[in-house]
Amino acid sequence: MALVAALALGFAGCGAAGGDDAADSTGTRAGAAPDRLRGVEPPNRERKPAFTLSDVDGGRYDFLAETAGRLTFLFFGYTHCPDICPVHLANLAAALARLPRADADRVRVVFVTTDPQRDTPERMKRWLGAFDPAFVGLTGTRSELEAAQRAAGIAPSVAQPAPGDTGYAVGHAAQVIAYGFDGRMRAQYPFGTRQKDWAHDLPILLGMAGAGDAAGDLHVTGGYARIMPTRDVGAGYFTVVNASGAGDTLRGVAVAHAENAELHTMRETGGLVRMVPLGQYAIASGDSLRLREGADHLMFDLPAGSPAAAAETLDVTLRFARRGDVRLRLPVRAYGDEGGR
């Protein structure tokens, strides 16, 4: 397994009284291409590890079997950690909350404690529930937990002396590991991964996950819209991933109670940036179209009195040559709300 890569991503010691949280936050995020993952993509796509531990309700949890057919995030940490562990889970939970429910249901987040003495099932259930009640918490004997960490290709955790009433901190690998629907590693996310990095990668990971499925199709994920304060112009952003076995072409788009809806791209000429229609957009099998702020986007006009001007969600129809109409509902986010990015 990729033990060396795991060590390079960061081994963190965190505690209530200022443990060492200087985890490495390097990776491929800075300057990454829009359709490339911002997580650290492994040179070898290791298989999802096989281990069985106890869940917070006392049942036995077969990690390989329980997460089969889902995009899976695996993280080893502990509940007395004041920064690395809660920051990771809070950022991931926030990004998942912005996905359409159907997409979020395809994801499983599994947290494995590295501190079984203090992390009782009751404490883990309450702690994880503060981020997302759907997050899975696992524990076991120290030997079971060490074996699970080794199976995942990361260095086993170590207890460290620390000041304060907790008595000790726990040094543990600081990355979240992502496994695709095919049961192989897609990326690792070191401490320092931001909400907008998760929001960028989740639609790509969901699309990549289904790209090899015989029943795969077009997936539209990660969408939201903005309405100008003047209430007469709006913009929309989302990702279309063609996980089907054939290419398709986005021929047009419509927004309920709006006019002149079309895809735009940005062009720079002579030092000036202008918007021009993107026109029909061909998406080959396995490729994607990503609309994002400052780049390709959906633009539409709102006539006076349009109910869309003050709506919390917008109904959008994408018209594909092969698939036909695909309908989606975009939540409206205020300008300045970076949660939409």
Side-chain angles (χ1 to χ4, degrees), residues 20 65 83 142 145 167 205 218 298:
D20 176 16
D83 42 29
R142 291 196 178 276
L145 295 171
L205 289 167
L218 288 167
L298 164 65

Side-chain angles (χ1 to χ4, degrees), residues 187-241:
Q188 299 191 44
Y189 292 86
F191 181 62
T193 300
R194 298 165 294 178
Q195 281 189 35
K196 62 182 180 181
D197 297 323
W198 288 114
H200 173 275
D201 280 14
L202 279 169
I204 300 174
L205 289 167
L206 285 163
M208 288 170 60
D213 295 344
D217 206 342
L218 288 167
H219 301 296
V220 183
T221 58
Y224 66 99
R226 307 273 200 200
I227 302 295
M228 286 283 287
T230 51
R231 302 296 180 183
D232 55 356
V233 178
Y237 312 95
F238 48 84
T239 296
V240 180
V241 180

Side-chain angles (χ1 to χ4, degrees), residues 74-247:
L74 175 64
F75 180 47
F76 292 86
Y78 70 119
T79 68
H80 284 83
C81 174
D83 42 29
I84 292 174
C85 301
V87 169
H88 254 325
L89 294 181
N91 285 340
L92 181 52
L96 285 169
R98 294 196 294 271
L99 287 177
R101 175 49 53 191
D103 290 313
D105 287 344
R106 301 167 63 205
V107 179
R108 184 70 77 235
V109 177
V110 178
F111 174 86
V112 181
T113 182
T114 56
D115 186 15
Q117 181 175 339
R118 293 181 296 180
D119 283 349
T120 63
E122 294 78 12
R123 178 182 174 87
M124 275 206 298
K125 188 172 186 176
R126 185 172 65 254
W127 189 76
L128 289 171
F131 303 109
D132 188 330
F135 285 1
V136 175
L138 301 180
T139 188
T141 65
R142 291 196 178 276
S143 60
E144 287 177 329
L145 295 171
E146 180 175 326
Q149 290 170 85
R150 293 190 182 280
I154 64 174
S157 61
V158 294
Q160 302 171 322
D165 59 6
T166 59
Y168 62 91
V170 178
H172 62 91
Q175 70 269 32
V176 177
I177 308 172
Y179 298 96
F181 281 41
D182 59 358
R184 291 185 177 273
M185 187 188 300
R186 295 291 190 184
Q188 299 191 44
Y189 292 86
F191 181 62
T193 300
R194 298 165 294 178
Q195 281 189 35
K196 62 182 180 181
D197 297 323
W198 288 114
H200 173 275
D201 280 14
L202 279 169
I204 300 174
L205 289 167
L206 285 163
M208 288 170 60
D213 295 344
D217 206 342
L218 288 167
H219 301 296
V220 183
T221 58
Y224 66 99
R226 307 273 200 200
I227 302 295
M228 286 283 287
T230 51
R231 302 296 180 183
D232 55 356
V233 178
Y237 312 95
F238 48 84
T239 296
V240 180
V241 180
N242 187 357
S244 69

